[in-house]
Amino acid sequence: MRPSDLLIPTPSGLYCPPADVYVDPVRPVDRALITHAHSDHARPGHYQVLATEETLAIMAARLGEDFCHTRQVARCGETLDLNGVKVCFHPAGHVLGSAQIAFEAEGLRIVASGDYKRQADPTCMPFEVVPCDVFISEATFALPVFRHPDPAHEIAKLLNSLELFPERAHLVGAYSLGKAQRVIAMARKAGHDAAIYLHGAMEKVTRLYEQHGIALGELHLVRDTKPAELAGAIVLCPPSAAQEPWSRKMPEPLSVYASGWMRIRARARQSGAELPLVISDHADWPDLQRSILETGCSELWVTHGQEDALVHWAQSQGLKAKPLHMVGYGDEEAGEA
């Protein structure tokens, strides 16, 4: 069997003809396998959806209980037979419930990674290296300039700023699925046990994280809090909300932005952040390289991001490599990265 017999790119998304299923389809299809719940990968309108329990729960919370007709839970490490194709989900380390999906038939294995990272994250299962013949990788930060620092050091910057400016509310722009909960969990791990405050748009998903066993400590909604109580506090909001009138009621708000894009000074300046934090939920350049080599794959397909650079590097390592030029994928907004 050739790789193109097992998975092919189509306008609707990656398609597995023998199993008649799509991976993260961008258009409504009959049978969809979803890697994670960010909206560029998880869309409503499919008839059947197979995903991890956490991903299905997040999709229901964000899209409504009727986001699909029927749903089925995929347990990581459990192999399913779909018309002779063995399908297995493996942790991707991106956000809660995120998974890589391995397809295997006639001795050929292809792994579709979705989005992934290798740095430690207390809010989701760590990335699992899955040996394969063909690895399908994202390329969000696939340039040598992207070398993410230790996220613990970035959180230390935030906590140090709280000590230096106890009169100021620290308004942290962070994407509402994955990034916000990770920032909270890392702050707790660093010893910050004071109440943390949430924009209302973050409440539903954050509570869902707690329901799935992620301890996040004392949390309150900004709308239920007097502005004076926010002095010296961490306040989390979607990046787009940081510049809204909503934030001006806070005591001397100090703008913070958590994103891998903060590695680029021009992007940090453009965001208006006084304190940019380089915290990413995607693999950086060294971790992309490491992950690809560790799979032992002989062929690399690149789905979205800096495709050409990663393809060129893979070819220099003796791998067959090509960009898939998939459309419809990318950050839901800048903060997702």
Side-chain angles (χ1 to χ4, degrees), residues 77-90:
E78 181 179 284
T79 300
L80 302 173
D81 188 306
L82 302 182
N83 196 32
V85 178
K86 296 178 180 178
V87 173
C88 189
F89 284 59
H90 301 267

Side-chain angles (χ1 to χ4, degrees), residues 22-25 32-37 41-43 46 49-52 55 59 89 97 99 101:
Y22 289 83
V23 180
D24 295 344
L33 278 57
I34 306 298
T35 61
H36 66 283
H41 291 257
R43 304 168 193 253
H46 309 309
V49 169
L50 176 66
T52 64
T55 293
M59 289 179 71
F89 284 59
I101 305 176

Side-chain angles (χ1 to χ4, degrees), residues 120-135:
D121 182 343
T123 69
C124 64
M125 295 177 66
F127 177 90
E128 178 184 324
V129 175
V130 183
C132 58
D133 302 289
V134 180
F135 186 60

Side-chain angles (χ1 to χ4, degrees), residues 89-245:
F89 284 59
H90 301 267
H94 180 52
V95 297
L96 182 67
S98 62
Q100 308 167 80
I101 305 176
F103 295 82
E104 187 170 357
E106 298 181 17
L108 175 71
R109 180 186 289 165
I110 301 178
V111 172
S113 66
D115 290 334
Y116 64 98
K117 70 172 179 290
R118 301 297 297 270
Q119 287 187 330
D121 182 343
T123 69
C124 64
M125 295 177 66
F127 177 90
E128 178 184 324
V129 175
V130 183
C132 58
D133 302 289
V134 180
F135 186 60
I136 305 176
S137 178
E138 60 146 312
T140 303
F141 291 115
L143 288 174
V145 67
F146 291 112
R147 298 173 186 268
H148 303 324
D150 183 342
H153 293 164
E154 301 301 288
I155 290 296
K157 293 179 186 178
L158 174 60
L159 300 185
N160 183 59
S161 183
L162 287 173
E163 293 184 6
L164 291 174
F165 305 106
E167 74 284 1
R168 303 185 68 180
H170 283 57
L171 188 58
V172 182
Y175 189 67
S176 57
L177 169 54
K179 187 67 62 61
Q181 296 77 24
R182 186 182 179 199
V183 167
I184 296 170
M186 288 192 299
R188 299 307 189 199
K189 186 175 181 180
H192 184 75
D193 55 8
I196 291 176
Y197 298 85
L198 303 175
H199 185 284
M202 296 183 162
E203 179 184 15
K204 187 178 292 186
V205 171
T206 301
R207 296 304 182 191
L208 192 149
Y209 265 65
E210 291 181 311
Q211 291 167 18
H212 282 83
I214 308 300
L216 298 175
E218 184 181 356
L219 303 174
H220 299 292
L221 294 176
V222 171
R223 65 168 177 261
D224 298 332
T225 306
K226 295 179 180 179
E229 296 177 34
L230 301 176
I234 294 174
V235 181
L236 284 154
C237 70
S240 60
Q243 308 301 325
E244 294 177 356

